[in-house]
Amino acid sequence: MTAAVARILRYGFETLHLRRITASCLANNPASKRILEHANFRQYDAVRHPDYAPFGAGQTELFFDCVELNL
């Protein structure tokens, strides 16, 4: 997954000339959080989903963004 994130970032910044790429993961998934942080993503928000939500009901979702390629 680390290699896939690196390729996505490279494509997004170098080919598509994006200025920001965002991602999210559930708080109870520390491996995904570490992969994003290792790829230079920084957490900017966290939202707890209501118990009736179709995705992530009752869980906290972490939101990240990356604004520079630093691989």
Side-chain angles (χ1 to χ4, degrees):
M1 188 52 83
T2 300
V5 170
R7 290 186 72 156
I8 290 167
L9 287 176
R10 190 171 290 114
Y11 180 76
F13 287 125
E14 293 177 357
T15 303
L16 299 177
H17 305 288
L18 300 175
R19 293 193 285 165
R20 173 175 297 181
I21 297 174
T22 63
S24 70
C25 68
L26 294 177
N28 66 352
N29 189 342
S32 291
K33 181 180 177 181
R34 279 192 302 274
I35 288 170
L36 293 173
E37 291 172 339
H38 179 70
N40 206 36
F41 280 83
R42 300 293 174 247
Q43 184 178 339
Y44 67 88
D45 202 0
V47 174
R48 185 183 179 284
H49 291 275
D51 291 333
Y52 57 82
F55 170 78
Q59 298 184 59
T60 300
E61 186 172 1
L62 308 176
F63 294 90
F64 297 82
D65 68 354
C66 183
V67 295
E68 64 180 90
L69 186 60
N70 186 18
L71 301 175

